[in-house]
Amino acid sequence: MKARRMRETPTVPTRSDPAPAKLDRRTKDLTKRLAAGDIAVIKHSDIDRVSAEALVACRPVAVINADKSISGRYPNLGPGIIVDAGIPLIDATGAEIFDAITEGDEISIDGGTVYLDGKEVAAGVAQTPETIAEDMHEAEAGMNSVLVDFVDNTIEYIRKDSDLLSAELVVPEVRTDFDGRHALIVVRGYHYKEDLAILAPYIREYRPLLIGVDGGADAILEAGYKPDMIVGDMDSVSDSALTSGAEIVVHAYRDGHAPGTERVKALGVDCVAFAASGTSEDIAMLLADDKGADLIVAVGTHDTLMEFLDKGRKGMASTFLTRLRVGSKLIDAKGVSLLYRQRISSLQLTVLIIAGLVALGVAMAATAAGQTFLGLIAAQLDGVFGWIGSLFGGDPTAATESSGALRAVLDSRTAS
């Protein structure tokens, strides 16, 4: 596995003017309130791709990480995405930074040092493309052992602890009618925005049930749709999504405990619990299958080693078993946008059309018939412009006479 290649070395600022600090140990919670011009302060070991893209989308002045952005456990892509965007990344300042500053404090950076009111409050490592490449190279060296452990954990779970293929798995009753319908399950994974946009014609034509897995419900709303159902532990979905009218299914532990129900009920929204092991996207697929969906289309789901490591999971047994159970109903649309990226830009297409029209005009002007046709068009345009001029006080007979004279010339040319 190779580190991401950089087409060109980005220019990353080494210092900043004072800017408001926004702090949160959970990156996905911070990005909900992080604004352009803020400085993000997080505690995130091994920053994953999705979190990095969310941070970059907020356009912060800098990102300060109390933890190591690349621990060496695996070659995670997140830090490179942040630095490639030209955003300074200060690494491993220590958790003490959360005690040294508070939300809204005006802080600044200079190299790897963080200042508050001109005084140093924390120091870390200012990441560059070169330091990230070195860390990624070291992380790649240990991937063989990571892969072996991942496979061992997956096999052990399948043998000892899986309930997803068991007859004892109880799927809750829901009011949403899946029978004979398509179900589109949206997860905030790789390329979910682009894939959802590409699927717009499919959504218009087939009108599938839209199921958001946690933050995937917000992705559905952002795309201009309304979720029919939200499935998950409710830790990363917004209140506006939970109160959008969608049916709520809370992912519970196998013992029935579902912490997410407290948040949902506090909003005055009814919900049902689905007790099962595995991930929330797994139980969304199992629910759609059990309730009679004809087809299950998945966007943004996790099914590769890097994606599971990004999520902090040590195996993929539940995903493997879920896909065995769902079978041929499942169509994984993740990455479909990569197949339809436009290779010709709008500017190039416009220039091509103009060039074609010019070539057509030259060809027509070279023949008698073409000259006659162009003359007739010119006569009609002359009449139109004359009529427009008459509306503003011009002589309406001038346009008529001009058009008639030109038509007479054309008639004589045609006759000859």
Side-chain angles (χ1 to χ4, degrees):
M1 192 178 296
K2 295 183 182 266
R4 184 166 55 97
R5 293 176 182 159
M6 300 175 186
R7 296 183 181 177
E8 58 182 41
T9 302
T11 301
V12 183
T14 58
R15 60 187 305 172
S16 76
D17 293 328
K22 294 291 179 65
L23 297 79
D24 206 305
R25 285 175 167 81
R26 290 169 61 89
T27 305
K28 61 183 177 181
D29 290 340
L30 178 64
T31 54
K32 295 176 184 178
R33 65 180 193 278
L34 185 65
D38 293 337
I39 293 181
V41 182
I42 59 176
K43 188 177 186 298
H44 193 151
S45 177
D46 294 324
I47 298 177
D48 60 274
R49 176 175 176 171
V50 174
S51 296
E53 289 174 345
L55 285 168
V56 169
C58 295
R59 295 180 296 149
V61 172
V63 175
I64 301 171
N65 190 3
D67 217 327
K68 296 187 69 173
S69 298
I70 302 176
S71 69
R73 186 170 63 92
Y74 74 103
N76 53 305
L77 301 179
I81 291 173
I82 295 172
V83 172
D84 279 359
I87 300 173
L89 173 61
I90 299 178
D91 226 16
T93 62
E96 297 79 10
I97 192 172
F98 285 90
D99 299 323
I101 61 177
T102 58
E103 185 94 2
D105 281 348
E106 295 278 330
I107 62 174
S108 61
I109 63 168
D110 188 353
T113 307
V114 183
Y115 294 93
L116 172 63
D117 297 329
K119 297 180 180 179
E120 178 181 333
V121 292
V125 178
Q127 292 282 14
T128 65
E130 292 75 22
T131 59
I132 289 175
E134 292 175 6
D135 290 343
M136 292 285 278
H137 180 72
E138 294 177 4
E140 287 169 359
M143 277 303 295
N144 285 339
S145 60
V146 171
L147 179 59
V148 171
D149 291 341
F150 188 87
V151 173
D152 287 344
N153 288 330
T154 299
I155 294 173
E156 182 180 0
Y157 178 88
I158 290 175
R159 287 176 175 171
K160 296 182 178 179
D161 200 30
S162 177
D163 60 327
L164 298 181
L165 296 182
S166 171
E168 298 177 0
L169 181 67
V170 178
V171 181
E173 293 298 323
V174 294
R175 68 171 185 269
T176 303
D177 185 10
F178 284 84
D179 192 36
R181 299 280 302 276
H182 289 194
L184 175 59
I185 298 174
V186 180
V187 183
R188 273 188 161 165
Y190 292 178
H191 306 297
Y192 74 93
K193 287 185 179 179
E194 296 87 346
D195 294 343
L196 199 52
I198 286 292
L199 290 174
Y202 161 74
I203 296 173
R204 284 196 301 268
E205 181 175 355
Y206 287 90
R207 301 184 67 81
L209 293 170
L210 301 180
I211 304 173
V213 177
D214 280 319
D218 291 291
I220 293 173
L221 290 171
E222 291 166 5
Y225 308 109
K226 181 180 177 181
D228 296 291
M229 177 178 286
I230 301 174
V231 179
D233 52 19
M234 308 303 154
D235 67 337
S236 60
V237 60
S238 68
D239 289 349
S240 58
L242 290 174
T243 55
S244 65
E247 184 172 12
I248 310 298
V249 178
V250 180
H251 187 187
Y253 296 114
R254 292 179 64 180
D255 60 5
H257 179 56
T261 57
E262 297 177 6
R263 181 187 173 199
V264 176
K265 291 181 178 179
L267 293 171
V269 179
D270 292 330
C271 62
V272 296
F274 188 172
S277 57
T279 66
S280 296
E281 59 197 69
D282 294 334
I283 71 163
M285 293 180 189
L286 293 171
L287 178 63
D289 175 56
D290 183 82
K291 299 305 178 184
D294 277 352
L295 192 70
I296 301 171
V297 181
V299 168
T301 51
H302 303 86
D303 53 18
T304 67
L305 175 62
M306 286 294 293
E307 290 172 315
F308 278 100
L309 292 176
D310 268 352
K311 293 290 288 184
R313 297 186 67 85
K314 298 180 179 179
M316 59 177 294
S318 65
T319 295
F320 175 73
L321 294 173
T322 297
R323 290 171 186 257
L324 280 180
R325 181 161 178 162
V326 173
S328 59
K329 283 186 180 182
L330 178 64
I331 294 180
D332 196 338
K334 185 182 69 177
V336 68
S337 60
L338 300 177
L339 300 175
Y340 295 99
R341 285 185 175 172
Q342 189 174 355
R343 295 181 179 270
I344 302 177
S345 67
S346 299
L347 177 60
Q348 291 173 325
L349 187 60
T350 301
V351 171
L352 182 63
I353 292 173
I354 292 174
L357 292 174
V358 169
L360 179 62
V362 171
M364 293 181 66
T367 64
Q371 292 173 3
T372 302
F373 179 73
L374 291 174
L376 288 172
I377 293 177
Q380 293 296 328
L381 290 175
D382 189 48
V384 170
F385 291 140
W387 175 76
I388 293 174
S390 68
L391 296 177
F392 297 93
D395 184 4
T397 61
T400 304
E401 291 172 356
S402 174
S403 177
L406 182 56
R407 188 178 296 277
V409 172
L410 292 171
D411 289 343
S412 64
R413 181 179 296 178
T414 302
S416 63

